[in-house]
Amino acid sequence: MFSPRTIGHARTPYAKTSDIPKGLGAQHNAEGVLEILPELEPGLTDIEGFSHLIVLWVFDRSEGFDLLGTPPSDNRPHGVFATRSPRRPNPIALTIVELLRRDGPRLHVRGVDMLDGTPLLDIKPYLSNVPPEKLRRGWLAEAEARKKE
Ligand SMILES: C[S@@+](CC[C@H](N)C(=O)[O-])C[C@H]1O[C@@H](n2cnc3c(N)ncnc32)[C@H](O)[C@@H]1O
């Protein structure tokens, strides 16, 4: 395997997990800054043309994992790989953010859902190629339908 390296840190309004919106219908509109290490700044060349980015980061304040867990968006348990739980065998997270602007090694973004100071692993342009009619939302769609009943 490989030893991941931190490429930078997220600056977000969230000091504690209870500050982060959760559950069905939670909106992630908070703005934040992805601060990339100065020596890696050339790797951001040409990123400005992309509206959205995939950010890979570490659940650095999560310990251990549960193979089954009940997420805030449902009252039924689901397998860890069918959820976005922070308690997973490899504590790796993924967030799609909107790129607002670049200021040197700092990317101003909207849509952060990680704690302030979270280590970043990677950034890639987001290019969705899944047609909406082919996308199935599994247990989440069922939980949403039950909530509306
Ligand atoms: C449900 S996870 C989803 C994260 C990411 N969007 C994903 O899909 O992998 C988001 C939750 O992780 C927790 N969290 C955020 N930053 C964290 C960190 N640095 N360490 C541990 N837990 C964190 C918070 O409870 C937050 O509400």
Side-chain angles (χ1 to χ4, degrees):
M1 294 291 280
F2 69 104
S3 301
R5 64 166 73 170
T6 299
I7 65 158
H9 292 88
R11 299 296 162 211
T12 77
Y14 303 130
K16 47 189 195 304
T17 54
S18 56
D19 295 339
I20 304 176
K22 287 185 182 54
L24 285 181
Q27 301 281 323
H28 293 290
N29 295 321
E31 293 187 17
V33 180
L34 308 178
E35 288 183 349
I36 307 308
L37 297 177
E39 63 270 30
L40 300 182
E41 184 182 341
L44 296 175
T45 304
D46 296 335
I47 204 166
E48 295 88 343
F50 293 94
S51 64
H52 291 78
L53 303 173
I54 298 169
V55 185
L56 294 166
W57 49 277
V58 186
F59 288 115
D60 65 325
R61 278 153 273 184
S62 177
E63 276 187 24
F65 64 89
D66 306 303
L67 292 180
L68 278 176
T70 302
S73 44
D74 202 359
N75 52 12
R76 301 176 183 192
H78 303 284
V80 65
F81 302 123
T83 74
R84 294 180 165 244
S85 168
R87 294 178 52 77
R88 46 203 319 119
N90 287 313
I92 297 173
L94 175 160
T95 301
I96 312 290
V97 296
E98 180 182 359
L99 177 59
L100 301 175
R101 67 188 167 88
R102 175 180 165 196
D103 174 17
R106 296 160 57 87
L107 300 176
H108 294 256
V109 298
R110 181 184 292 124
V112 292
D113 66 348
M114 67 289 276
L115 292 167
D116 188 39
T118 291
L120 304 176
L121 291 178
D122 206 354
I123 297 173
K124 306 183 189 209
Y126 174 76
L127 300 169
S128 172
N129 53 8
V130 181
E133 68 276 12
K134 290 226 167 189
L135 192 66
R136 290 190 293 124
R137 291 166 53 79
W139 62 261
L140 195 53
E142 292 166 19
E144 286 165 350
R146 278 200 303 278
K147 192 182 177 195
K148 279 188 196 145
E149 282 168 7

